């Protein structure tokens, strides 16, 4: 191989690394944007339910059943989209680690520092939606118990 061929191969490797890095940043932005959207949307739904509950004139319990079922559906969609995005993001990070040794070193060091071994992405994509889902199920059970 000539020096020109080696230089061209190195430039192509750098371009590929840059494309993977840019895609990783894009997917991370999507992950966080969707997380923010669903958190705000769920908060507004819960606030709407609380406002209805606190109102002087109580609506029929079926209103709360409908709100809870809608909340459960939205939470399930939230969990699905976040898990899908997290899987793609982790695959891109693994791919990036193959190109950039410093990414692998930082990941290794960070994993050694975590006390409980739970990754932030897992908490945001799995545990938070499950907690919100549990809240909606509790609201649904309470609303169904009011129906006579």
């Amino acid at each position: 191989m000539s020096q020109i061929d080696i230089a061209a191969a190195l430039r192509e490797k750098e371009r590929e690394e840059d494309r993977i890095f840019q895609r990783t940043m894009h997917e991370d932005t999507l992950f966080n944007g969707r997380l923010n959207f669903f958190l705000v949307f769920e908060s507004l739904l819960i606030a709407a339910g609380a406002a209805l509950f606190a109102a002087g004139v109580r609506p029929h319990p079926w209103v709360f059943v409908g709100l809870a079922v809608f909340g459960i559906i939205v939470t399930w969609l939230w969990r699905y989209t976040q898990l899908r995005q997290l899987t793609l993001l982790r695959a891109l990070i693994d791919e990036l680690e193959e190109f950039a040794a410093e990414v692998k070193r930082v990941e290794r060091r960070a994993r050694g520092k975590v006390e409980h071994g739970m990754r932030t992405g897992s908490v945001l994509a799995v545990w938070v939606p499950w907690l919100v889902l549990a809240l909606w199920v509790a609201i649904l059970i309470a609303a169904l118990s009011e129906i006579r």
Side-chain angles (χ1 to χ4, degrees), residues 31-47:
F31 179 84
N32 290 314
R34 288 176 180 159
L35 174 71
N36 289 335
F37 168 78
F38 278 109
L39 282 172
V40 169
F41 192 76
E42 293 276 358
S43 298
L44 291 173
L45 280 178
I46 292 168

Side-chain angles (χ1 to χ4, degrees), residues 95-112:
E95 185 75 20
L96 190 60
E97 284 179 355
E98 290 180 20
F99 284 98
E102 65 272 9
V103 173
K104 189 177 266 186
R105 280 195 313 270
V106 170
E107 281 284 321
R108 199 174 318 124
R109 284 186 187 147
R111 286 185 188 137

Side-chain angles (χ1 to χ4, degrees), residues 58 60-61 64 140-148:
R58 279 256 175 96
H60 196 276
F64 291 108
L140 179 63
I141 291 170
L144 288 173
S145 70
E146 291 288 319
I147 297 175
R148 296 179 189 149

Side-chain angles (χ1 to χ4, degrees), residues 119-138:
R119 297 174 89 178
T120 305
S122 297
V123 172
L124 296 175
V126 178
W127 293 106
V128 174
W130 276 119
L131 292 172
V132 174
L133 187 66
L135 176 65
W136 286 121
V137 169

Side-chain angles (χ1 to χ4, degrees), residues 19-31 34 79-97 119 121 125:
R19 284 192 304 269
I20 293 171
F21 178 76
Q22 293 300 324
R23 175 78 190 274
T24 304
M25 295 303 294
H26 173 71
E27 295 300 331
D28 184 58
T29 301
L30 285 177
F31 179 84
R34 288 176 180 159
R79 184 181 175 280
Y80 172 77
T81 57
Q82 287 299 96
L83 277 176
R84 184 180 161 277
Q85 198 70 31
L86 182 63
T87 303
L88 179 59
L89 187 57
R90 284 185 178 163
L92 284 166
I93 290 171
D94 290 344
E95 185 75 20
L96 190 60
E97 284 179 355
R119 297 174 89 178

